Amino acid sequence: MGHRSSNAWMLAFLVAAGVSHAAEPPKASAPPPKLPPGVSPVLWKVSVPPGAEPTPDKVLLGEKLFNDQRLSVDNTVSCSTCHEPKKGFVDGKDRSVGIKDQKGMRNSPTVLNAMFNASQFWDGRAATLEDQAKLPILNPIEMGMPSPEAVVTKVRAIPEYAAEFQKVFGREVNYDDLAAAIAAFERTQFSGSARFDAFIHGDEKAFNASEKRGWALFNGKGRCTECHAANIVSPLFSDQKFHNIGIAAHKQDFVQLALEGLKVVRTGDEKQIDELALQTKFSELGRFLVTKQENDVGAFKTPTLRNIGITGPYMHDGSLNSLWDVMDHYNKGGVQNPYLDGGMQRLGLTEPEIDDLVAFLYTLTDTRFDKFNQQELARQRGLKNKRPERDTAVAMGKKGNLGDIAPNPDLDKKNPAEMGVYGAETSVKSEPKKEGKP
């Protein structure tokens, strides 16, 4: 994969959508394109606002802007710097790096399937892809442009963009249109063709024995579905809610930090809040920066598990290097703090069970990243002897008192997929034709 492959994927989408470069922008009632099995037409329709459909010209302009470093103040950083297509639209770093090698406070989430998110960013401070596209350009850590007016002035001075904005939007460059073009490109970056999708549609051979056990654990003892449930119309494996799972509690006195942060957040300055999220210790307050509600202190959005194998390192601060580390974190019930989500409890997973769960998670990667997925699995497996989050004694109830261990799964029962945990079985499998019926 690379930029060329990104183009190929986008062009495949455009061809599948039955449109051409010469076509007029589709109307609000335009049908969805041909979608992979893991993306339902219903989800597509409800996720694309009327008037925001990704027309071919708008998408091409948006991809060009997405990859253009000239949108940054010193011409060194583009959107793709932190969201590299060949890496599943992440950068593989713990925290993103912007202009002048400045390091932010948050890990770069993937753009893949971002169009289906109920909100954008780890703390949900942007409601739409268009809103999301604007903020990194202005953030002094990321792209560093001083104002929307400065962005527009700079882009208008680039002859090719002056012409292309006239062609696509019929007017001069403005900041809303620039964001709309980037968002249009991002709406073509969906993913739903993983081995999991083949399995859920009836291909038993798509999973090996370990992956099947992992799927059962995912729905049982692992309690993963508490926040990462999915079904055929909501296939992201995310509840799209915000939870304090204890990651941020490694570093901060939450009570004191919340008192300090509240004074700043009350200003209501959206740009300033964005800067706080990336630049200061207050970043660890998470959703609290947006809602100003104390029960959101340290809460971050449940990320999608689609392509999780290739989009590490993990958590809002990229502090967990492998999916084994992630499982270790959950296995001991997270890190205790006054705002810990009530659903967090030790799991009591054995080492073979953790291996099975990780094996299942790697089945959620889109097949176009198969080679990269295998490379990441091998790399992360090589980190198994370096497990800073591992506390087997706590996880297995041999010390501490962190609540009840979740019940053991009954692996003698039918496969969870056959039990309808991913929507009704009949809704994901074709019903046999009746005799005499077409």
Side-chain angles (χ1 to χ4, degrees):
M1 281 293 297
H3 186 63
R4 181 180 300 175
S5 296
S6 173
N7 285 334
W9 173 246
M10 182 191 69
L11 291 172
F13 156 78
L14 295 175
V15 171
V19 294
S20 69
H21 291 280
E24 294 295 326
K27 298 179 181 178
S29 59
K34 183 179 180 181
L35 299 166
V39 178
S40 79
V42 173
L43 180 62
W44 169 268
K45 292 290 287 185
V46 301
S47 301
V48 181
E53 292 85 351
T55 65
D57 286 343
K58 192 188 297 184
V59 170
L60 290 173
L61 174 59
E63 184 182 26
K64 188 172 183 177
L65 292 165
F66 187 87
N67 291 289
D68 196 335
Q69 295 178 337
R70 291 175 293 182
L71 292 188
S72 64
V73 70
D74 60 0
N75 302 326
T76 61
V77 174
S78 70
C79 303
S80 61
T81 300
C82 299
H83 303 284
E84 296 183 43
K86 66 180 180 181
K87 293 182 177 179
F89 286 87
V90 298
D91 57 12
K93 300 173 181 174
D94 56 348
R95 291 174 289 154
S96 58
V97 177
I99 57 170
K100 302 176 183 177
D101 291 327
Q102 298 178 96
K103 198 167 190 176
M105 301 295 286
R106 302 271 175 87
N107 174 261
S108 296
T110 181
V111 170
L112 289 170
N113 292 329
M115 65 170 291
F116 303 127
N117 289 338
S119 61
Q120 306 295 330
F121 295 116
W122 280 101
D123 53 18
R125 65 188 183 281
T128 67
L129 287 176
E130 284 79 0
D131 290 342
Q132 185 279 328
K134 294 177 179 178
L135 292 177
I137 299 173
L138 304 180
N139 191 286
I141 295 289
E142 296 187 293
M143 299 168 79
M145 291 296 289
S147 66
E149 293 75 20
V151 178
V152 170
T153 298
K154 187 174 184 181
V155 175
R156 280 183 180 176
I158 302 173
E160 65 200 76
Y161 280 132
E164 290 180 32
F165 272 80
Q166 281 289 348
K167 177 182 178 183
V168 175
F169 295 103
R171 52 187 174 239
E172 288 189 324
V173 179
N174 67 63
Y175 204 45
D176 287 339
D177 287 347
L178 182 145
I182 294 175
F185 166 67
E186 292 178 336
R187 286 195 174 93
T188 65
Q189 302 307 319
F190 50 80
S191 170
S193 182
R195 282 198 291 121
F196 171 79
D197 299 300
F199 179 74
I200 207 70
H201 283 81
D203 182 2
E204 285 286 329
K205 296 180 180 179
F207 276 10
N208 61 34
S210 176
E211 293 159 350
K212 289 178 180 176
R213 291 194 299 269
W215 173 230
L217 287 161
F218 186 88
N219 290 280
K221 186 177 179 180
R223 304 182 69 248
C224 308
T225 52
E226 292 291 316
C227 296
H228 292 285
N231 57 53
I232 56 173
V233 295
S234 181
L236 298 187
F237 290 88
S238 168
D239 62 3
Q240 309 244 23
K241 297 179 181 177
F242 302 84
H243 303 276
N244 179 325
I245 62 171
I247 291 294
H250 285 294
K251 314 162 191 173
Q252 303 287 342
D253 178 342
F254 273 8
V255 175
Q256 180 59 35
L257 191 67
L259 290 174
E260 295 177 28
L262 187 58
K263 294 179 183 177
V264 180
V265 169
R266 277 176 175 164
T267 65
D269 184 328
E270 186 177 343
K271 183 171 179 291
Q272 184 182 23
I273 293 171
D274 182 59
E275 293 171 4
L276 287 175
L278 288 182
Q279 297 180 66
T280 73
K281 63 181 181 181
F282 297 115
S283 175
E284 297 301 306
L285 297 177
R287 181 65 173 166
F288 171 73
L289 291 176
V290 179
T291 67
K292 309 176 185 65
Q293 299 297 313
E294 189 172 354
N295 59 0
D296 282 327
V297 170
F300 292 87
K301 186 168 66 178
T302 305
T304 177
L305 295 185
R306 288 273 175 183
N307 303 298
I308 193 69
I310 61 170
T311 52
Y314 305 105
M315 304 302 176
H316 73 276
D317 58 359
S319 60
L320 303 186
N321 289 321
S322 75
L323 289 173
W324 276 272
D325 290 337
V326 172
M327 295 312 308
D328 286 343
H329 173 80
Y330 284 114
N331 208 21
K332 64 183 180 185
V335 177
Q336 293 295 300
N337 69 86
Y339 303 95
L340 187 69
D341 190 286
M344 293 293 291
Q345 61 182 241
R346 57 185 169 150
L347 302 175
L349 295 168
T350 65
E351 193 66 10
E353 288 173 335
I354 290 176
D355 288 344
D356 289 338
L357 265 167
V358 172
F360 165 70
L361 292 174
Y362 271 91
T363 70
L364 297 173
T365 301
D366 197 289
T367 53
R368 58 186 158 130
F369 295 106
D370 274 348
K371 183 178 180 181
F372 185 29
N373 197 46
Q374 289 302 312
Q375 291 172 346
E376 275 299 290
L377 175 58
R379 187 187 68 82
Q380 292 196 14
R381 189 178 284 132
L383 299 174
K384 282 187 62 176
N385 293 327
K386 299 177 182 177
R387 306 264 290 272
E389 297 295 323
R390 184 171 185 168
D391 194 332
T392 304
V394 170
M396 304 306 290
K398 295 181 179 178
K399 72 174 184 181
N401 181 20
L402 299 177
D404 296 329
I405 294 177
N408 287 322
D410 184 356
L411 297 179
D412 292 330
K413 288 185 177 180
K414 296 177 68 176
N415 186 297
E418 297 175 351
M419 295 164 63
V421 299
Y422 197 77
E425 185 179 7
T426 54
S427 66
V428 295
K429 290 182 178 179
S430 299
E431 291 187 64
K433 294 182 180 179
K434 297 179 180 180
E435 292 185 6
K437 298 286 185 182

